[in-house]
Amino acid sequence: MVIEKLSLTCDRLLSHRQLACCQSYCGIPLDGMKMLIYTNMDIEHKPLLLTGHHGEISAMTFGKGSGPVLLCSASADYVIVWDIELCQKRTKEGKVAAGTVIGSLLDEVVYLSFCFSDERVAACSGATVYILSSKRHEVISTLTSHLGPLTSAEFCPWNKDILVTTSEDRTFKVWDLKTEAVCYQSFVLSASPLLSVFFLEENRHLITGSTDGQLWCFSLPDDHKCHLVTKMDLQKMEKRHQMHQGIVSDQAGLAEQSAIDEVETSKPVLRMALCSSFIDTSIEHKKDNSWLFIGSSDGLYVVDLATSELLKALYFKDYPNLSITMAGSWSISPGWDNSMVFLVSSLFTPCVVLLDLRLRDLERTWACGEGFSVFPSSPLLLESPLNAEFKKKKPEHPKKKGGIKERPLVFHSKVKSSGYTSAPRSIMFSPKTNIQKNPSSKTANKNTGLLLRDYPADCAAPTIPHIHLSIVNKPVHCLQYSGDGKQILCGLGDSSVFLHKSSLTGNPTVYTGHDKPVSSVSWSLNRQWWLSASEDQSLRIWTHGSPEPAIIMGDSLFSKPIRSAQFYYLDKFLLLASGPSLYLYLYNVDITRDDIKRYQQRSVIKLARCITTTSATDITALSAINDFFSYIVVVCGSDRSIQVFDMNKGSVASALPDAHSRAVHCITQNKGSMFSTQTPDSYNLFLTSAVTDGVKIWDLRTMRCVRRYENHLNRCHPCSSAISPCGRFIASGSEDNCAYVYDIRSSRYLHRLQKHSDTVLSVTFNPATPELLTGTLDGKLRLFQSSSGALLSHDTSAAVHSIPNMTA
C-alpha cells in the first residue's frame, strides 16, 4: 500500500525542519544551505539544485497555485521565493538559477506558508509572524501577540484576510490582516504545545493538533467567534480501532498493549491534510469530504472527522522495507493518478524519504460488507413470526331439536307507549318554514381536502418560543405526537400519562394506573389507541373516552422493567423489550364490557415470539418502523452494543459491539411522517444517544456511524434525540437547560434553544407542521415554531395548516 519512491541520506539531522512537497515536486535541504528539487513522477531524473542562502535552511514550502509553481525557503539571512519552471529553464541554459529575496534578517524561521493566491507569505520566527509579499522585498505586516514561540501559521481559504497561528503557549489566534488585530484567541487547549493547524473549507472549520495527540475542531463563522465542534484523541481512537479490529481480544493482548502505551506516551500531530478532496467522487461513502490524513511520529493515521473515528493506521513498523521507523516532520500533498505523496524526515537518523500511497488500496481496506434496509427485499417466510395469527374459533351450530321453540311475544327490546296517559293533540300538523342551512357540512368537505398538506421541505428549523406550559413537578420522560399531529402523549415521572392537544391549549386528559415512572408511550397507526410502559413491569393499552385501560400486561409476565414498547407491523403486533428479551405479541382490543362482569378484560393477547440478544445483555432501547411493513428492529444493549433483529427470520441478524463508550439510552429511526416524502435511502438512518458520548447517526446499509453530534451536554441524564419529518434537522436534549438543533449534514449545531427551567430530557417534532416540543426534568413543556411557521394559525388541527404563507 505504501511505496517508498525516494530515500536520501543527508549530512545532518532534519527531524524538525519544515520540508516542502507538492503534487509535482519535493524539496530537500542539502549541506545546510542548498536545496535539491526532485520531480515526483520521475525520481531518477537529475534533481534541480538551488543555491543562494548563506545560512542553514530551516523551512521550505510550495505555493498553493498550479502555475507557476513557487517555492519559498527561509534561513536566518534570507527568505527567498523561487519559480521552479524558470529555474529549470535557466539551469538547462547553463545559467545559475536565482530566486527573489522577499525578506532578510528575520532570525530563524520555523514555518512558512503561502496564501491561496500565492501573493503573500507568512513566516513564523520566534513569537512573531511576518506577512511578506511573494513578489518583492516587503514586510506587509508584523504580528506579535503570542506568549511563546510560534509553531505554524495558515491563511484561511475562504477569506484571504484571515490568518490563524498556533504557538507553544498552547493557544491559537485568529488574525484580521486588514486591521492587524486578533479577532479571536482560544483558551489554553492542552498541557502540550500546539503544533499544526488545518482548514476545512466545505464546513468552514479549523482543526489544530498538539504534541500529545489531541485534536480540536472549531467552527470559524463570519464573526470569527470560534466554537468547539469536537475534540479527538489519537490514542483513544487507536484503542477503539484496535478493539473493533479484534487486536486486543484477551487479557494477554491487553497487558501487551498497556506495555506499549507506557513506552509510546504521545502521538504528536505533526501535519494534517484532507484526503477526500483528491479521491474519486464516484466512491459512494466518500462524498462527505471528511477523511483526514494525520502524520505522526510512528506513522500515518486516517481519521473520519464526521464520526471522530480512526479508519486506518499505517505504522512504519508494519512496512520493514521502509528506510524510516520514526518521523520527525511531514509534508503531505495530493499526487497524480489518485494518490497521495508524503515527504517524511526521520526523527533519529539523517534520512528523508518520499512515500506514495494509492488511495484505491486504502479504499479496499475500508470496504464494507452488505448491510440492511428497512424496506423488505423478500416476501415473508412460511415460518416467519410475522405470519402469526389468532386461531379462528369454529362456529358452534346447535343441534336441531324437535318441537316448537319458545318465542317472545314482542320482537323489540322496547315497546312504544300506547299514548293513553298523554294529553290529546290540539294541532295535528305544522310545517317548518324557517329552516336554516347548516354550513358545517360544506366546511367539513372543504377541510377534508386539507388534511394531507405536505410538510414544508424547505422551511427553517423551529426555534421561536411559542408556548411555555407547566404540567407537573415531575420529569417528562417521553413525548410522542399522534400520526396526524393533533395530539401529544406525555409520559411522566409520577407514573401518569397526559394526553394534550398539540396546541397545548385546554386541560389535558390524565391516565393513571402505573405504580412507577412511565418509560415509553406509543400511538397506534390508526390513532384509535395508545400504549404506555412503565418501570413497574407493566404495559397498558388505552382507548379514547375510557379512563380504564383496554389491555393490562403485567402480573409477573416480565421479570424486569419494560425499557421500551411500541406498536409494530402496521399495528398488528406489540413490540416490547424487557431484560435481554424482545417480545412480539399479537393482540386484539375489545372495549365492550359486561355490566355484571365489568372488570373482566375481553381483549386478548398472545405471545408470537420471544427473541434473546446474542450476548444475553439487557436491552436499553429499541426502535422499529410501524408506518409501513419492515422486518428490521434495532435494539441497543447495556453492553454498549447495537443489534439488528430480522423479524422475518426471528433472529439476530447483526451485532455491532462498543457502539458508544456508554450504554445507549435512546434510539430513533428516521421515520418521516405521512405529511413528508424523503428519498428511500434516508429511512435507513437512525440515531443513538449515550451519556457522555453524544449523538451518533448510523446507516443500516453499512452498519457504520456516518456522523457525530456532541455540542450538547449529556453527563448523567437520559436526554433523548429526534429527527425532523423532513429529515433535515436533529434535535437533542441537554443538561445545560437548552435544546440543541443540528443540521443533519454538519456536526456543528445550528441553534441553541435556551431559557429552559431545567435539564431538557425529551424532544420531539410535530409530524404535520414545523414545530418542536421539549420536556424538562421539572415537568415543563415548551413549544417552538419555525420562523416561517410562526405565521400559521395555531389551532388544534395542526395538520390542516395552510402552506402558502410559509416562506422558508
Side-chain angles (χ1 to χ4, degrees):
M1 182 183 295
V2 178
I3 303 172
E4 183 176 288
K5 300 182 67 175
L6 172 68
S7 177
L8 184 65
T9 302
C10 307
D11 62 332
R12 64 195 66 196
L13 199 63
L14 300 175
S15 58
H16 299 295
R17 304 290 183 182
Q18 182 189 9
L19 305 181
C21 181
C22 68
Q23 188 175 34
S24 303
Y25 303 99
C26 63
I28 304 170
L30 177 67
D31 299 332
M33 297 178 289
K34 302 176 184 178
M35 291 176 291
L36 290 178
I37 309 301
Y38 285 88
T39 303
N40 295 339
M41 295 297 293
D42 188 7
I43 296 297
E44 301 298 330
H45 189 271
K46 183 179 179 181
L48 173 66
L49 179 64
L50 299 179
T51 59
H53 286 282
H54 299 124
E56 187 173 348
I57 297 173
S58 57
M60 302 169 58
T61 186
F62 281 102
K64 304 291 196 304
S66 57
V69 178
L70 301 180
L71 171 70
C72 185
S73 58
S75 62
D77 55 349
Y78 297 128
V79 178
I80 304 176
V81 171
W82 313 79
D83 186 330
I84 299 301
E85 281 84 359
L86 182 59
C87 291
Q88 287 177 333
K89 181 179 178 181
R90 291 178 65 87
T91 302
K92 289 180 180 179
E93 295 174 353
K95 300 178 182 179
V96 178
T100 303
V101 177
I102 61 172
S104 58
L105 302 177
L106 300 182
D107 206 352
E108 183 180 5
V109 176
V110 298
Y111 195 88
L112 292 169
S113 67
F114 277 93
C115 69
F116 280 78
S117 61
D118 289 346
E119 296 177 351
R120 292 174 291 180
V121 175
C124 299
S125 177
T128 304
V129 57
Y130 299 93
I131 308 300
L132 310 174
S133 171
S134 63
K135 298 179 180 179
R136 56 188 176 273
H137 192 295
E138 179 187 358
V139 178
I140 301 175
S141 303
T142 301
L143 308 177
T144 304
S145 179
H146 279 286
L147 302 178
L150 293 170
T151 54
S152 68
E154 293 290 345
F155 289 90
C156 179
W158 61 87
N159 189 338
K160 63 180 181 179
D161 295 318
I162 295 297
L163 180 79
V164 176
T165 57
T166 61
S167 169
E168 291 184 10
D169 64 7
R170 299 160 296 166
T171 67
F172 72 87
K173 295 182 187 292
V174 180
W175 301 83
D176 186 344
L177 298 181
K178 287 184 177 180
T179 61
E180 300 184 9
V182 176
C183 301
Y184 176 82
Q185 176 178 338
S186 74
F187 49 89
V188 175
L189 297 178
S190 170
S192 303
L194 302 183
L195 289 182
S196 54
V197 65
F198 183 75
F199 286 96
L200 297 173
E201 185 174 4
E202 182 180 6
N203 298 324
R204 299 207 168 186
H205 291 171
L206 68 88
I207 305 173
T208 182
S210 64
T211 57
D212 59 351
Q214 306 286 326
L215 294 103
W216 296 264
C217 180
F218 288 86
S219 63
L220 185 57
D222 293 335
D223 60 0
H224 310 136
K225 303 301 181 184
C226 299
H227 297 280
L228 181 64
V229 176
T230 185
K231 179 185 176 183
M232 294 166 280
D233 187 322
L234 271 182
Q235 283 189 332
K236 291 182 179 179
M237 288 191 293
E238 182 186 42
K239 288 181 180 179
R240 287 200 302 266
H241 178 70
Q242 289 176 346
M243 291 180 67
H244 290 165
Q245 295 297 320
I247 296 175
V248 185
S249 57
D250 53 13
Q251 293 297 327
L254 189 60
E256 181 183 355
Q257 184 65 22
S258 299
I260 294 175
D261 290 341
E262 289 178 1
V263 176
E264 182 77 23
T265 57
S266 65
K267 297 180 181 296
V269 182
L270 301 176
R271 184 58 68 93
M272 295 175 284
L274 197 61
C275 166
S276 56
S277 293
F278 320 119
I279 292 182
D280 186 2
T281 55
S282 63
I283 300 172
E284 182 178 355
H285 65 280
K286 287 302 302 301
K287 294 180 181 179
D288 56 352
N289 295 335
S290 62
W291 284 20
L292 185 73
F293 279 131
I294 300 175
S296 189
S297 57
D298 59 346
L300 182 72
Y301 295 86
V302 185
V303 173
D304 188 350
L305 292 174
T307 61
S308 301
E309 294 294 338
L310 179 64
L311 304 180
K312 185 70 176 177
L314 305 174
Y315 303 106
F316 293 128
K317 63 181 181 180
D318 295 335
Y319 298 90
N321 296 328
L322 297 183
S323 305
I324 188 172
T325 56
M326 295 291 287
S329 67
W330 287 76
S331 182
I332 306 175
S333 174
W336 299 99
D337 193 21
N338 199 26
S339 66
M340 297 288 288
V341 290
F342 311 92
L343 189 62
V344 189
S345 66
S346 177
L347 183 61
F348 301 118
T349 59
C351 177
V352 177
V353 296
L354 181 67
L355 306 177
D356 182 88
L357 173 63
R358 297 291 174 180
L359 297 178
R360 294 288 183 185
D361 298 335
L362 186 63
E363 282 291 334
R364 282 194 288 269
T365 63
W366 190 242
C368 54
E370 184 179 358
F372 303 94
S373 174
V374 295
F375 297 102
S377 58
S378 60
L380 286 175
L381 302 175
L382 293 177
E383 65 276 11
S384 172
L386 300 179
N387 280 325
E389 298 286 350
F390 282 113
K391 290 184 179 179
K392 295 182 179 180
K393 294 183 179 180
K394 295 182 179 180
E396 297 181 0
H397 300 286
K399 295 181 180 180
K400 294 183 179 180
K401 297 181 180 180
I404 301 173
K405 296 182 180 180
E406 295 183 356
R407 295 186 179 184
L409 295 175
V410 180
F411 296 95
H412 304 286
S413 58
K414 293 182 179 180
V415 180
K416 188 175 181 181
S417 173
S418 61
Y420 290 120
T421 59
S422 60
R425 294 182 180 178
S426 58
I427 301 176
M428 299 301 295
F429 173 75
S430 61
K432 295 181 179 180
T433 57
N434 57 347
I435 299 177
Q436 295 181 355
K437 293 183 179 180
N438 186 7
S440 60
S441 59
K442 290 187 177 181
T443 305
N445 292 334
K446 289 182 180 180
N447 285 339
T448 54
L450 300 176
L451 288 176
L452 293 178
R453 287 285 188 179
D454 289 341
Y455 187 96
D458 56 350
C459 69
T463 58
I464 300 176
H466 182 66
I467 293 178
H468 183 202
L469 181 66
S470 178
I471 45 178
V472 291
N473 193 21
K474 293 292 182 179
V476 181
H477 285 303
C478 45
L479 295 169
Q480 192 183 48
Y481 277 98
S482 59
D484 57 2
K486 295 181 180 181
Q487 293 174 300
I488 182 74
L489 284 173
C490 308
L492 304 177
D494 64 351
S495 70
S496 65
V497 179
F498 277 29
L499 177 61
H500 256 294
K501 296 178 181 178
S502 61
S503 59
L504 300 183
T505 58
N507 295 323
T509 305
V510 183
Y511 296 87
T512 59
H514 289 291
D515 297 328
K516 290 185 179 180
V518 177
S519 57
S520 64
V521 292
S522 174
W523 282 93
S524 65
L525 187 62
N526 58 15
R527 303 183 299 280
Q528 296 300 312
W529 44 76
W530 57 91
L531 66 80
S532 60
S534 171
E535 297 288 336
D536 62 2
Q537 304 175 19
S538 72
L539 181 145
R540 297 165 186 255
I541 296 181
W542 311 81
T543 59
H544 283 284
S546 175
E548 299 174 0
I551 295 178
I552 300 178
M553 298 177 65
D555 298 330
S556 302
L557 272 179
F558 311 106
S559 60
K560 293 188 177 182
I562 301 174
R563 295 300 178 191
S564 187
Q566 67 169 79
F567 293 95
Y568 175 58
Y569 213 65
L570 297 185
D571 290 348
K572 181 179 179 180
F573 297 99
L574 296 177
L575 187 68
L576 59 98
S578 175
S581 301
L582 184 70
Y583 296 91
L584 192 68
Y585 277 93
L586 285 168
Y587 69 100
N588 180 38
V589 176
D590 187 354
I591 60 175
T592 60
R593 294 184 183 274
D594 192 332
D595 289 338
I596 304 298
K597 303 176 181 179
R598 65 184 308 271
Y599 290 104
Q600 181 177 351
Q601 181 176 292
R602 295 198 174 191
S603 300
V604 183
I605 56 172
K606 176 187 175 183
L607 181 63
R609 182 64 63 92
C610 176
I611 312 171
T612 304
T613 56
T614 54
S615 56
T617 181
D618 285 358
I619 296 174
T620 57
L622 76 84
S623 179
I625 300 290
N626 187 40
D627 293 8
F628 52 84
F629 290 119
S630 176
Y631 305 154
I632 297 298
V633 176
V634 187
V635 304
C636 298
S638 57
D639 61 350
R640 309 189 305 277
S641 67
I642 297 176
Q643 300 187 29
V644 179
F645 285 73
D646 185 350
M647 301 307 292
N648 187 23
K649 299 179 180 179
S651 62
V652 178
S654 177
L656 182 67
D658 298 310
H660 281 269
S661 61
R662 299 288 182 91
V664 173
H665 60 257
C666 174
I667 181 169
T668 306
Q669 287 182 272
N670 183 20
K671 301 177 182 179
S673 77
M674 63 181 178
F675 300 92
S676 65
T677 302
Q678 301 182 35
T679 59
D681 290 339
S682 300
Y683 295 95
N684 290 309
L685 300 177
F686 65 93
L687 298 176
T688 56
S689 302
V691 172
T692 73
D693 205 26
V695 176
K696 291 183 178 181
I697 186 167
W698 305 78
D699 193 336
L700 267 175
R701 295 167 296 177
T702 59
M703 280 309 295
R704 287 209 174 105
C705 176
V706 294
R707 190 165 292 279
R708 191 172 186 166
Y709 312 89
E710 49 186 347
N711 285 151
H712 59 282
L713 185 65
N714 191 5
R715 294 176 178 172
C716 60
H717 293 291
C719 300
S720 69
S721 55
I723 304 178
S724 65
C726 59
R728 296 166 52 226
F729 305 112
I730 290 173
S732 175
S734 179
E735 294 174 18
D736 57 357
N737 300 356
C738 298
Y740 285 75
V741 178
Y742 295 91
D743 186 331
I744 198 170
R745 301 164 297 180
S746 174
S747 299
R748 169 84 175 106
Y749 72 87
L750 281 177
H751 304 282
R752 187 166 171 257
L753 309 181
Q754 304 180 17
K755 297 183 179 181
H756 287 82
S757 55
D758 207 335
T759 296
V760 179
L761 284 181
S762 305
V763 292
T764 184
F765 286 95
N766 190 320
T769 189
E771 292 179 344
L772 174 66
L773 184 65
T774 62
T776 62
L777 187 63
D778 60 350
K780 305 292 193 304
L781 296 178
R782 286 177 68 91
L783 185 66
F784 295 87
Q785 290 185 333
S786 171
S787 57
S788 51
L791 300 176
L792 298 175
S793 59
H794 196 92
D795 56 16
T796 58
S797 303
V800 300
H801 287 162
S802 58
I803 303 303
N805 290 332
M806 305 197 71
T807 56

